[in-house]
Amino acid sequence: MAEAEATTGRLRLYSYWRSSCSHRARIALNLKGVDYEYKAVNLLKGEQSDPEFVKLNPMKFVPALADGDSVIGDSYAIALYLEDKYPEPPLLPQDLQKKALNHQIASIVASGIQPLHNLTVLRFIDQKVGAGESVLWTQQQIERGFTAIENLIQLRGCAGKYATGDEVQLADVFLAPQIYAAIERTKIDMSNYPTLARLHSEYMAHPAFVAALPGRQPDAPSSF
């Protein structure tokens, strides 16, 4: 299956509706205006461990993006791949300081927040520490990361309509799913993060972000 699908011309995104990493990839694809085929991978059913999917992403994570014979199995790598292949509209500014800030914010989300409360980590905490303990752990990790990003944006003084200026850029691609999940799933008090709360309102009014929302994906349940 993996090899056959990799030879078709249309990009395919292997995604799970509720995955914030997949959410990032969907936003990036939408912003670039790229038409793609959505391939659902149900994490709760363990479909990420199917041998055919493991050929696409040996880490057994979503998302994975197949473009001809090329397969990219990481949301950060996918965003940069799309930036190189479809340079307009750009996700990264030419200004070196702003470019570095975009990478820094994206990295905080991608390595300092989300991996610390993904499904496998939460299951491990509940099993080894106690049922329900993963909720407090999740809130702590999100709040620590949000505090850093809120301060970072304010200190750099470069927030415009979006995180690093008046145009949507890479930082926004990573921030939007994390903020959405924090509000909808973790019930984080966003009054502590006024800049991020304002950004969330902007994302929820942007067509590319709205189309990428979890509940709008073909594998989303009718009620959740």
Side-chain angles (χ1 to χ4, degrees):
M1 178 188 73
E3 292 182 0
E5 289 178 344
T7 61
T8 61
R10 192 181 182 198
L11 268 66
R12 289 163 312 288
L13 180 69
Y14 294 81
S15 173
Y16 178 60
W17 70 280
R18 209 173 189 185
S19 159
S20 63
C21 297
S22 298
H23 193 168
R24 301 168 196 159
R26 297 193 299 262
I27 292 171
L29 285 161
N30 293 345
L31 288 169
K32 294 294 187 179
V34 178
D35 181 40
Y36 65 93
E37 181 181 0
Y38 189 101
K39 305 290 287 186
V41 180
N42 192 318
L43 302 185
L44 297 183
K45 293 181 178 179
E47 291 179 357
Q48 69 275 23
S49 295
D50 182 282
E52 293 301 314
F53 182 74
V54 175
K55 293 178 184 178
L56 296 171
N57 189 354
M59 281 295 288
K60 305 179 184 180
F61 290 158
V62 290
L65 182 71
D67 182 9
D69 292 330
S70 298
V71 181
I72 306 96
D74 174 84
S75 62
Y76 212 136
I78 288 170
L80 296 182
Y81 179 83
L82 294 172
E83 178 73 350
D84 288 338
K85 184 165 183 174
Y86 307 100
E88 296 296 333
L91 294 179
L92 288 168
Q94 293 298 312
D95 181 88
L96 291 181
Q97 290 186 352
K98 287 189 177 182
K99 181 183 287 187
L101 180 60
N102 270 272
H103 281 298
Q104 187 174 356
I105 292 172
S107 183
I108 290 173
V109 173
S111 63
I113 303 178
Q114 186 273 327
L116 300 178
H117 65 86
N118 67 20
L119 187 60
T120 55
V121 172
L122 300 186
R123 284 175 173 170
F124 183 85
I125 291 173
D126 282 338
Q127 290 171 0
K128 299 297 183 179
V129 182
E133 291 298 320
S134 62
V135 175
L136 294 176
W137 169 263
T138 298
Q139 292 173 338
Q140 181 187 47
Q141 304 314 312
I142 293 174
E143 289 171 351
R144 181 172 64 91
F146 277 8
T147 298
I149 295 171
E150 179 82 15
N151 291 338
L152 185 62
I153 293 174
Q154 290 184 0
L155 286 171
R156 296 295 183 268
C158 62
K161 184 176 182 179
Y162 299 105
T164 60
D166 290 328
E167 302 296 331
V168 171
Q169 296 187 319
L170 186 70
D172 303 295
V173 171
F174 280 72
L175 274 175
Q178 188 64 69
I179 296 173
Y180 178 86
I183 293 172
E184 298 297 325
R185 297 168 59 182
T186 318
K187 309 305 180 184
I188 296 293
D189 181 4
M190 293 302 295
S191 66
N192 295 321
Y193 315 103
T195 303
L196 299 186
R198 180 185 62 77
L199 291 174
H200 176 67
S201 297
E202 296 292 349
Y203 301 147
M204 295 299 288
H206 193 297
F209 288 80
V210 173
L213 287 171
R216 291 182 174 237
Q217 306 317 304
D219 57 330
S222 56
S223 60
F224 59 92

